[in-house]
Amino acid sequence: MKWSFRICEINGTQVRVHVTFFLLLAWFGLSFFFSEGAASAFFGVLFILVLFACVVLHEFGHATAARYFGIRTPDITLLPIGGVARLERMPRKPHQELIIAIAGPLVNVFIASVLLLVLGGMPPIDPAVMRLGDPSQFLPNLLRINIMLVLFNLVPAFPMDGGRMFRAVLAMGLGYARATQVAASVGQLMAILFGVVGILTPSPILLLIAVFIFMAAGQEAAMVKIQDATEGLPVTSAMITEFRTLRVDARLQDAVEALLHGSQHDFPVLDARGDLVGILTRKDLIPALSEHGKSHPIKGLVKESPPLLDIGCSLSKAFEILSSSPCPTLPVMESDGKTVAGILTAENVGEMIMIQSALTARRKSRPGAPDAKEPAPA
């Protein structure tokens, strides 16, 4: 995630912090300092840090359950609104998603249970004493908020934990794609309700959560729709086979000519033997032109380790890899692993989906009408 930096790595999962998280700490610290003094500011900021440690443990609950099913979690990012665990892929079996989704809240249940034992029972919920900067209320407040996190995460607002549980249950009867559409619609409705409450309260954090849920629900629904549309198709059905390449000893002038004389934005870079070295992207080319001029060699700008797609890969799997890659164009490699057979971009996948949708609409409007099972490679 942009504007985040790594603080540690645990069992192959990076823990990252978004820069806006420090704005939250500063806001709480200054609020406590001016209202209750330096001691309150210290304990208030300390409480927020411990609370977010609980959030990290919550996300590692998801990561641990996902690893049990063979799904890696490359990173966990802390944001002002909570934590986000990025799985390398979403499970397509409903029972797996249900277990992964519920694993996070179960961590908070465990933390709350330990705090209940330490405190000897549930402290009264009295707003008059629930000051985050009060050291005497440190553990009681931590218990209360962990219980609130459990309840909040069970709300069926997709893609929150409760929403993923809701989708998993729906998918057992409706299928994954339809269940995602229903869960996303419910999630966006819940986001609108959160937004209204956030405005009336007013609560900036709740407003941020509402915006995040609304956007994330729409994005994941669109992603699942693409995956469903590409299911069963090979990567060769959407890859570009007529593409230009650059030599590793080329200069920016050569890349500019290739960019201007075609519709291609990113270029595989080959060595003298014709083997792939990496990818030169338009995103890297344009700033380099401004800084170095046309005579500058491209070698230092080449992304030398983009994810490689095998020519036998399915299109749905290829799109998963493309979506999680910072490189906008991925090479599709021949079986020798050195020769570039084609390139894949999100634009071409989108065009494939439009073609598939048109063919599906034709079949529905003209049952029995002949058409190609799949379009020719791009």
Side-chain angles (χ1 to χ4, degrees), residues 73-374:
T73 305
D75 54 66
I76 291 170
T77 304
L78 284 179
L79 301 163
I81 60 174
V84 177
R86 183 173 64 89
L87 306 184
E88 64 177 356
R89 62 180 175 85
M90 292 306 301
R92 296 300 292 260
K93 295 181 179 179
H95 77 277
Q96 292 182 357
E97 179 168 37
L98 188 60
I99 291 170
I100 293 172
I102 205 170
L106 284 178
V107 171
N108 296 108
V109 170
F110 175 77
I111 294 171
S113 300
V114 172
L115 290 171
L116 273 172
L117 290 174
V118 171
L119 294 170
M122 183 68 191
I125 301 177
D126 183 359
V129 298
M130 288 174 60
R131 297 192 304 273
L132 300 185
D134 184 352
S136 68
Q137 291 295 307
F138 196 96
L139 291 182
N141 281 338
L142 196 60
L143 169 59
R144 297 180 187 108
I145 293 184
N146 269 280
I147 292 173
M148 289 170 59
L149 284 174
V150 173
L151 297 176
F152 186 70
N153 275 285
L154 293 178
V155 173
F158 185 80
M160 287 173 51
D161 295 342
R164 294 197 180 280
M165 296 177 211
F166 180 51
R167 175 173 70 174
V169 173
L170 287 177
M172 294 176 185
L174 297 180
Y176 193 76
R178 178 59 181 156
T180 301
Q181 290 177 356
V182 174
S185 297
V186 172
Q188 289 184 324
L189 178 60
M190 296 295 296
I192 292 171
L193 293 176
F194 288 164
V196 171
V197 174
I199 292 172
L200 295 178
T201 312
S203 172
I205 296 294
L206 193 57
L207 273 173
L208 284 174
I209 292 173
V211 172
F212 172 80
I213 291 173
F214 192 92
M215 295 179 64
Q219 288 172 355
E220 185 149 347
M223 179 72 69
V224 170
K225 185 177 180 181
I226 290 172
Q227 290 173 340
D228 189 60
T230 56
E231 196 71 36
L233 295 174
V235 68
T236 52
S237 65
M239 74 180 187
I240 301 170
T241 55
E242 296 181 5
F243 58 93
R244 297 188 66 169
T245 62
L246 296 171
R247 291 284 295 270
V248 71
D249 57 355
R251 300 188 176 277
L252 291 182
Q253 173 65 44
D254 303 310
V256 169
E257 290 177 2
L259 183 68
L260 293 177
H261 296 159
S263 59
Q264 194 175 332
H265 295 160
D266 311 308
F267 303 91
V269 179
L270 311 179
D271 63 17
R273 295 177 300 177
D275 295 341
L276 180 71
V277 174
I279 296 286
L280 176 65
T281 68
R282 182 176 63 174
K283 182 180 178 181
D284 294 327
L285 169 61
I286 301 303
L289 275 173
S290 175
E291 184 176 355
H292 302 294
K294 292 183 178 181
S295 62
H296 189 74
I298 69 169
K299 189 173 182 179
L301 306 172
V302 176
K303 295 184 184 298
E304 296 184 347
S305 56
L308 304 181
L309 303 176
D310 186 84
I311 196 165
C313 179
S314 69
L315 183 55
S316 57
K317 177 63 177 177
F319 184 71
E320 266 187 29
I321 297 171
L322 178 64
S323 300
S324 60
S325 169
C327 190
T329 297
L330 297 186
V332 181
M333 308 302 292
E334 293 283 8
S335 54
D336 61 7
K338 297 180 179 180
T339 308
V340 182
I343 56 176
L344 187 71
T345 68
E347 183 181 5
N348 261 71
V349 176
E351 289 170 348
M352 164 61 73
I353 291 170
M354 287 191 292
I355 292 169
Q356 291 297 110
S357 298
L359 291 175
T360 300
R362 182 177 187 271
R363 284 193 294 267
K364 288 181 179 179
S365 63
R366 299 174 61 188
D371 56 43
K373 186 175 182 180
E374 64 180 54

